[in-house]
Structure formats: structure tokens, C-alpha cells
Amino acid sequence: MRVLMLGWEFPPIYSGGLGTACFGLTKGLSHHNVHVTFVMPTGPSNVKGEYVNLMVADKIYKNKKITIRKVQSILVPYLTSQAYDQELSLLMKKDEGSKTLYGRDLFDEVYKYSQRIKLLASTEEFDIIHAHDWMTYQAGIKAKEISGKPLVLHIHATEFDRTGGHNLNQYVYDIERMGFHKADRILAVSNYTKNMVVRHYGVSPDKVEVVHNAVEFKESPDYKINTTDKLVLFLGRITLQKGPDYFLEAAKKVFDMDPSIKFMFAGSGDMEPRMIERAAELGISNNVLFAGFLKGEDVNRAYHMADVYVMPSVSEPFGITPLEAMKSGTPVIISRQSGVSEVISHVLKVDFWDVEDIANKILAVVHYRTLNNELKHHGSLEVKKFSWDIPAEKCLKVYQELIR
Amino acid sequence: MKICLYFQVHQPYRLANYKVFDIGNHSNYFDEKNNKEIMQKVAKKCYIPTNKLLLKLINTYGDKFKIAFSVTGVALEQFEKYAPEVLDLFKQLADTGNVEFLSETYYHSLSYIYSKEEFKSQVLKHANKIKSLFGQDPKIFRNTELIFNNELANFVEGMGYKGILTEGADHILGWRSPNYTYKAKTTNDLKLLLKNYKLSDDIAFRFSQHSWEEHPLTVEKFVNWVKESPGETINLFMDYETFGEHQWKDTGIFEFLEKLPEELLKEGIEFVNPKDLLVHEPKDELDIHNFVSWADVERDLSAWLGNKIQVSAIEELYKLEKKVKESGDPKLLEDWRKLSTSDHFYYMCTKWFNDGDVHKYFNPYDSPYEAFITYINILNDVAKRIGSKEQIIAPITESPSQTI
């Protein structure tokens, strides 16, 4: 089986959440004798994938050495709400004068990517096309038109998740919608996302297959951090989608009951200044720490330091961070408005808007020792069941159905 | 061959969504609205139609048709409050003289395991209630969920009981048949009546199970199985809610029950009450060291005391016993006793994450952890009412085993 896979990022290049998922999936597929050619829009010419034949779309035409540029934030599907709005409004006013290498226009970039795929689609040998998130949908449709091969679209996030349902970008929505209707099959990372697609894009539920993400962990050192302070952790972008404001309001309620408990924001984002301000308004500035964006081992350290990790996302198609926290033996509280809540049990679940319940559960985990220990113990066991082989098998089944 | 039919009737007082912020503010622990709704729903689907049917059967067959009930005190209270018609029908059943009422703990509790004194009080309270409502002095005891062992047998015999019901589990019977009367080894003469779990569960659990090879279960088929069974008496013990609630009306369960006596009597099979079996010579002595029960495949205590949160919750409850009783506050004692009902611990069971969905069906909570948090919050309020300054479960800082 040969798959032409269209993505936007792939480790080690621009590895965000989407890239990590693509990496895991292709690794899982490689265990099933599936040969994947993974095409990214841009990157260095000497890229090599461990499990895939990695290609960079702009090298199909050019052979010129190009330095790696940070892809504009707008190109990343998971970005800040405010930055997203700003970028969009900037892009809408077309800047005629400046002609950069790729054009500042995201949509232009997305279009170029789809044009470059044309050549690939007529020369490469493959049985199926598999495209990840809206930036690659047009390219996927082109590839399908040229090759006549079935098209699978994989949804990691929709425009509704990114914007919280407000101020949707019509252009992005239209691309998504057209993609969903032209695709032969759609994969969604959760039932939550599937429902979103069925409800907001008019897609038949029969067409959508749920393929939950997995996670694979490298062994990391078991940090022994001695701290007498009880710490509640928020880790992620400080943006509307992630619900930092609900975290902070819950913190205030916890503080009123037990002022010895501390809160930490690990991450950055457009809502950060507002959160700092709000903490002061609530009179809890001394209990709320802003650690900034954490990388690499610092992330693991933060999980180990925390007595409980809270993910109060407003809309989370999947959400891998709770699994990382559980792996570190940290109890977690997660929003029910998330895909990951469908596949884990040994956690506490809340509605993101129910600030009182979030506070109730934070206090329970911090104060009730047995509960803390049970969540720790069962959580770290439960998280071991995740493997990319499972979603890979589901993909393979879909491929086989379509080719038959 | 004889048939002994016994039905268990129980409804717990389910807890309100009691948050940490409620501690010290109010002591309304029970969800009156929900309890009322459930009681009235089950009354309509099960208690009323089944009681009426049994009255009709007694009218038709006279002394040839007999049944036994064990109705918990908390169920009786809720009949009085929310469904007086049900209680009326039970009284009519008692008046026929063909219906035996058994003895158990008023609160359907696990008190025997944690406090013999409390166990005795609850059994007495229940016996008084039965006497006042139905005019009977029960001679036969059934412990919560048929929990039993040698020591309990001795204790119950010491209280004056002549017989006791328990599960005819394979691991206590070995090669023996449950269809005889036995004697508990360590007692003078306490008769053991064992549930024939195969034939009982054919009705209670498998009646409408399409995957069961014997489905559909006809009266003829069932009567044949009874006829072919070895021994003296078949004890069919089950939850009363089997009729109309666990097995819905449209499964034909009422028709089955209606037709069963006629077909059994035709074959010369006689109906008896548990007290009629006391005259039987014991077939053998049974020596049961570990607790046995009728729950789940394990037939042990793991449904209520199988994990650490369950054990810690129940231990904390009984730690408060002395002070609650010393307080002389009847409302406080009643609240505390309602909290001893075994269902609260059943809701904290984590076994169903892996297998049985029975737990899930009867569980008003999203997760066992939610059940625990609510319960411990309430215990903290009880502790406040008895003047304790200490929080029930010490903060995790005091745990020396914490490794992070």
C-alpha cells in the first residue's frame, strides 16, 4: 500500500501538535507495510524521515538551497485567537509592494502548495491520498482530480475550535467545507470533532470515522522535586481556546478556601497580559505564577512539580497534554469539551464553564490524599495503553475499504 | 422438589452534588428531587405492577403460592414519603399470610464489617420497622448483598436468628449442590439457604439477553431445568427490580412470572418460604472463612471495598461513629446512618472501567472519583457538626510516601 500524505509540518521541522501526530501515525503505518510519501510545503532540501519518504513541495520545482524559515504563525493550525485575527486582517489587505520568497499571504501559500502537488500527483505512484487539516485540503483535492485516487481528509482541528465559534474566517471555513464534501472519507481525532463536523459542515456522519490520537513517550527522568507548596498547573497556549480565564476564576475560589495553594501558567499567548491583570484584580497575584513558554525537559519538570494539572479547554479536538501529565504521575482535571476525555477514565472531568466544580475538584485532589494517590497510580498505568499502532490500523482499514 | 422465591427490595438515598464550598454552610446531603423521581419511576415500572401480579397469583393459588421479601428500611421510608401505594400493596401481601419478610440492616449497610454495635442497632431498627408495618418477627436473616462468613454466622445466631441466606458460590460449595439446606460449621444450628445462582440469574440477568443461547427463556424450558435439577429446594433469589426495571415489560418478564406458578405446580413442585426450610436436616456443614457475596463475577467484597478510595471513605465514616452517637443529635445520627448505605461505596468502584456495565447502569455519577469527592465533602461537614477541627483526610503534604 502506497500513501501520498499531505501535511504542513513534520518533526524535526516545525513540530507542533499536528507534526507530532503525523509522525506518530506514519510510524504506526510503517509497522503495517504501508509506504508513506509525506509532503510538506517547505523545509530544507536534505530532510529525511525515519519511517517515511519525506518530500518538500517547493523542492519539486526548485533546487535552490533555502534556509529554514519559521512558518508564519497563521500557517499553524493551532495558534492564538488574537494573533489569528490580526494576521487575518493583515492578510486580507493585500500588501502589493513587498514580495517575499513565499508571499506573506497564507492563502497564497496554501494555493501554491496545491499547485506544486499537481506535478507530484502525476509522477508519483500511490494508491491513496491522505491530507491533514485545512491547509492541505485543496492540494488533496487537486491530487485526487489528477490521479483519480481516493481522498482521505484527517481533521485535527476545525475553524470552530480555533475561534471558539466566534468570528469564523469564511475563507477557511469554505475550504474545510469543500474538502469534507469532496473527500471519500473523513477521519476525526475524536467523537467530539466528528460531531462538530456533522453539525457545522453538513457532513453525513456515515462518512466520518473517529480515529483517536495516541501518544508515545520517551523515558524521561523521574524528577524528585521537593516542594512544600501545593501547585496547580496550567500548561498550554494562553489563548481563548485553552480556557485560561476559567482556570484563573477557579484559582480565586480555591484561594478563598485554602490560600496556601499556588497556581502556575506555563505557556504564552495573547491572553497572558489580561490574565496577569485579572489575577491582580482578584487579589491573588502572589499565588499565581507565570512561567512563560516551557520547552523540552522543563515541561516534564513542570508536570512533576504540580500536584494537579488542569486542562480547562473551551474546545479541544483531542488534547495530548493530559496524557503527558498522567505519564509523569500527576493527577489531571480535564474539560469534557475535549476529545481526550472520550478515551481516558482515571481523571476528573469538568465542564470548562463550571468554575465552581473545577475549584471543588482542585481542592479535593490537593486535600484528599487517597484520591490523589489513586489518580496517580491508575492514571500512570492507563496512559501506557496508548500506541500509534491503533490509529494506524484504523487508517489502514479505511484505506482498504476505499481501494476495494 | 421445592421452590423458594425471595426478592430483595432496596433504594438508597442518593447524594446531592455536595461541593467543598457547602461544607459548614448547609447539611442537605441527599438529593430529594432525584430520589423521589427514581422512586416514583421504579414504583410505576416495577413495584406496583409486580405487587399487584403477586396478589393476583396468591388469590388464584392460595396457600400453594408463597414468596419472601427483604425490604430495606431506607426503601420503606421512601415508599412512605414518595410512593405510599407501594407500601399499601406490600401490606396487603403481608396480610395474605403467604409472604415472609426477612431481616437485614435498616440502611443496607456494610456495618457488620466495621462496627458490630452499629450492625446490631441497624438490624434491630429494621426488625422493629417490619413488625410495625407487617406484623411479622423475622426469623431468617439476610445480610447486605448476601455478604457472609463463619464469624458473621455465629454473630447472627447469637442474635437469635435460625437461618441465613447467602450466595451458592462455586468456591464455597465445591462439588456440593446449592439445592439443599446446610449448616454453618461454626454455629450450633444456623441453617444456610443458598442461592442457586445459575437459575436465579437466568431470570434476573439473562432473561432478555439475545446473545444467550437459551434466549428466549420460556416457562416450559425453565420448569424443565427445575425438574431436572438434583436436590430438595431451589432458592431463586434476586432483586425485585428484575421485574419491569432491569427486565422491561416488553421483554415478557411479567407474563413469565404470571405463568411460572401454574407450570411448576402442574409438575408437583411446591412453593415454600425460607422459614419452612428450617426443618430440613442439613445436608452438610459449610466452612466459610472469607467473605462471600452475590455481587459480580468475583462474589466477594471487591464491588464495595475493592480500591483505596472505597476503603478510605468507609473507614472515615466509621471513625466518626463514636462522636456522632455521643452528640445525642438524632438528625446527625440519621444522616450518618444514611451515609452507611453500601451503594455509596459501590459508586466508587473502578472495576467497571474494565468490564461489567452493571455498575455503570446503577451509577448516578460520571466517575467513581466524583462519587468519592462528593462523599468525602459530606463527611467533612459531618465532622464539623461533631465539632472536629481536623479535616477528614489530611492534606497530602503529610504523606511521607510522596516521591516527587
Side-chain angles (χ1 to χ4, degrees), chain B residues 11 36 81 96-97 114 116 163 181-182 198 232 235 237 279 297 312 346:
Chain B
Q11 289 296 333
K36 182 179 175 181
K81 272 193 279 189
T96 64
Y114 287 89
K116 304 271 189 299
T181 306
Y182 291 86
K198 285 201 184 79
E232 298 169 348
N235 294 314
F237 299 169
V279 299
V297 284
S312 100
Y346 190 82

Side-chain angles (χ1 to χ4, degrees), chain A residues 46 50 154 173 178 375 392 404:
Chain A
N46 58 348
E50 207 176 329
H154 200 139
Y173 175 82
M178 180 177 69
L375 285 169
R404 208 184 300 132

Side-chain angles (χ1 to χ4, degrees), chain B residues 99-192:
Chain B
V99 178
E100 179 180 351
F101 286 87
L102 308 181
S103 181
E104 68 167 305
T105 60
Y106 191 96
Y107 294 93
H108 199 257
S109 73
L110 304 172
S111 52
Y112 178 79
I113 302 164
Y114 287 89
S115 165
K116 304 271 189 299
E117 185 196 316
E118 176 60 16
F119 173 74
K120 232 176 171 167
S121 315
Q122 291 194 10
V123 172
L124 277 177
K125 190 175 158 95
H126 183 257
N128 289 336
K129 187 89 176 167
I130 296 299
K131 175 87 181 166
S132 73
L133 289 174
F134 308 122
Q136 293 191 17
D137 281 312
K139 288 282 162 279
I140 310 262
F141 186 76
R142 64 80 67 188
N143 195 27
T144 306
E145 309 287 348
L146 301 190
I147 291 169
F148 178 85
N149 70 1
N150 284 339
E151 194 207 12
L152 184 137
N154 281 28
F155 194 85
V156 167
E157 186 175 47
M159 289 174 72
Y161 289 98
K162 304 295 178 210
I164 189 165
L165 272 51
T166 191
E167 173 76 9
D170 295 338
H171 69 270
I172 65 167
L173 278 167
W175 52 272
R176 301 177 192 88
S177 157
N179 306 341
Y180 293 96
T181 306
Y182 291 86
K183 181 178 107 59
K185 183 171 178 156
T186 52
T187 61
N188 291 326
D189 190 28
L190 186 73
K191 297 284 168 27
L192 274 176

Side-chain angles (χ1 to χ4, degrees), chain A residues 29-313:
Chain A
L29 283 168
S30 74
H31 297 156
H32 292 91
N33 209 16
V34 175
H35 184 260
V36 179
T37 296
F38 192 95
V39 190
M40 280 190 299
T42 185
S45 54
N46 58 348
V47 288
K48 262 208 182 120
E50 207 176 329
Y51 305 100
V52 293
N53 172 25
L54 205 53
M55 291 180 89
V56 176
D58 59 1
K59 303 301 182 303
I60 298 164
Y61 289 114
K62 303 173 203 163
N63 206 8
K64 206 168 93 188
K65 191 170 164 50
I66 298 159
T67 52
I68 310 174
R69 302 168 59 248
K70 188 176 171 293
V71 176
Q72 285 176 304
S73 61
I74 194 83
L75 304 188
V76 183
Y78 311 97
L79 88 171
T80 76
S81 49
Q82 201 185 13
Y84 188 79
D85 288 345
Q86 284 169 356
E87 284 288 329
L88 276 176
S89 57
L90 250 172
L91 292 168
M92 288 304 157
K93 293 181 248 157
K94 212 153 172 115
D95 190 350
E96 301 283 333
S98 73
K99 206 159 166 50
T100 59
L101 190 56
Y102 288 105
R104 287 190 51 196
D105 192 323
L106 164 70
F107 304 126
D108 189 32
E109 180 63 18
V110 167
Y111 177 73
K112 275 187 195 159
Y113 179 58
S114 68
Q115 292 302 306
R116 291 185 189 114
I117 293 298
K118 276 192 192 170
L119 178 73
L120 207 66
S122 53
T123 55
E124 280 285 307
E125 293 276 338
F126 54 88
D127 307 302
I128 202 141
I129 310 150
H130 185 152
H132 297 273
D133 268 4
W134 74 270
M135 303 80 70
T136 69
Y137 291 170
Q138 285 174 311
I141 294 165
K142 280 272 175 330
K144 179 183 173 173
E145 282 166 7
I146 289 163
S147 65
K149 303 292 182 187
L151 171 66
V152 176
L153 295 188
H154 200 139
I155 312 168
H156 300 261
T158 66
E159 185 65 3
F160 282 84
D161 301 304
R162 289 182 291 264
T163 59
H166 306 293
N167 302 320
L168 294 192
N169 180 264
Q170 193 60 41
Y171 183 77
V172 174
Y173 175 82
D174 289 345
I175 289 179
E176 288 182 329
R177 191 187 162 90
M178 180 177 69
F180 298 154
H181 287 267
K182 292 208 170 173
D184 295 285
R185 198 69 71 83
I186 297 164
L187 309 178
V189 291
S190 59
N191 287 307
Y192 176 79
T193 301
K194 175 176 175 171
N195 291 339
M196 197 86 113
V197 173
V198 170
R199 193 168 347 124
H200 296 302
Y201 294 83
V203 175
S204 156
D206 301 339
K207 197 172 170 179
V208 190
E209 200 77 39
V210 173
V211 179
H212 287 108
N213 277 343
V215 65
E216 258 162 45
F217 298 107
K218 278 177 280 178
E219 276 310 309
S220 72
D222 193 17
Y223 296 101
K224 298 206 188 301
I225 294 165
N226 278 320
T227 160
T228 46
D229 280 345
K230 296 290 123 198
L231 186 71
V232 185
L233 177 70
F234 174 101
L235 192 142
R237 283 171 293 102
I238 306 181
T239 63
L240 180 123
Q241 190 193 342
K242 302 290 177 182
D245 36 347
Y246 298 99
F247 180 77
L248 200 58
E249 298 302 321
K252 165 66 175 160
K253 290 191 180 288
V254 171
F255 174 85
D256 290 343
M257 298 291 289
D258 182 351
S260 75
I261 298 173
K262 301 271 193 289
F263 298 83
M264 185 161 94
F265 280 98
S268 56
D270 60 334
M271 280 172 74
E272 190 175 353
R274 175 67 196 130
M275 291 300 100
I276 295 170
E277 209 176 79
R278 181 69 184 145
E281 279 168 21
L282 293 168
I284 55 171
S285 293
N286 286 338
N287 284 50
V288 183
L289 318 165
F290 289 85
F293 180 73
L294 300 184
K295 271 191 280 202
E297 278 308 294
D298 284 345
V299 173
N300 283 326
R301 256 182 224 117
Y303 288 133
H304 277 95
M305 270 173 75
D307 294 280
V308 53
Y309 170 66
V310 185
M311 184 188 78
S313 296

Side-chain angles (χ1 to χ4, degrees), chain B residues 55-267:
Chain B
L55 276 169
K56 184 175 148 192
L57 289 171
I58 292 174
N59 263 330
T60 314
Y61 301 108
D63 284 347
K64 286 186 190 141
F65 183 65
K66 292 177 173 181
I67 36 168
F69 285 105
S70 190
V71 192
T72 66
V74 283
L76 289 167
E77 280 182 12
Q78 293 188 80
F79 289 139
E80 286 168 343
K81 272 193 279 189
Y82 307 134
E85 184 186 354
V86 175
L87 196 59
D88 245 36
L89 289 163
F90 271 121
K91 283 179 182 166
Q92 291 179 38
L93 280 165
D95 291 342
T96 64
N98 296 10
V99 178
E100 179 180 351
F101 286 87
L102 308 181
S103 181
E104 68 167 305
T105 60
Y106 191 96
Y107 294 93
H108 199 257
S109 73
L110 304 172
S111 52
Y112 178 79
I113 302 164
Y114 287 89
S115 165
K116 304 271 189 299
E117 185 196 316
E118 176 60 16
F119 173 74
K120 232 176 171 167
S121 315
Q122 291 194 10
V123 172
L124 277 177
K125 190 175 158 95
H126 183 257
N128 289 336
K129 187 89 176 167
I130 296 299
K131 175 87 181 166
S132 73
L133 289 174
F134 308 122
Q136 293 191 17
D137 281 312
K139 288 282 162 279
I140 310 262
F141 186 76
R142 64 80 67 188
N143 195 27
T144 306
E145 309 287 348
L146 301 190
I147 291 169
F148 178 85
N149 70 1
N150 284 339
E151 194 207 12
L152 184 137
N154 281 28
F155 194 85
V156 167
E157 186 175 47
M159 289 174 72
Y161 289 98
K162 304 295 178 210
I164 189 165
L165 272 51
T166 191
E167 173 76 9
D170 295 338
H171 69 270
I172 65 167
L173 278 167
W175 52 272
R176 301 177 192 88
S177 157
N179 306 341
Y180 293 96
T181 306
Y182 291 86
K183 181 178 107 59
K185 183 171 178 156
T186 52
T187 61
N188 291 326
D189 190 28
L190 186 73
K191 297 284 168 27
L192 274 176
L193 313 182
L194 303 176
K195 173 183 156 193
N196 183 317
Y197 75 83
K198 285 201 184 79
L199 288 171
S200 300
D201 294 351
D202 284 341
I203 301 173
F205 298 151
R206 288 182 283 272
F207 186 77
S208 62
Q209 204 179 87
H210 288 265
S211 58
W212 182 35
E213 70 235 18
E214 299 294 348
H215 183 273
L217 180 60
T218 60
V219 173
E220 291 72 20
K221 198 186 283 181
F222 192 80
V223 169
N224 261 328
W225 292 343
V226 171
K227 248 170 56 184
E228 287 164 7
S229 299
E232 298 169 348
T233 314
I234 288 175
N235 294 314
L236 298 178
F237 299 169
M238 64 194 78
D239 284 337
Y240 198 34
E241 295 80 11
T242 298
F243 304 97
E245 170 69 357
H246 304 169
Q247 308 293 343
W248 290 6
K249 187 171 186 281
D250 60 16
T251 64
I253 191 76
F254 289 110
E255 288 81 358
F256 181 88
L257 179 60
E258 181 161 12
K259 213 174 150 202
L260 188 64
E262 187 187 347
E263 296 299 316
L264 284 170
L265 290 168
K266 249 193 235 166
E267 297 293 336

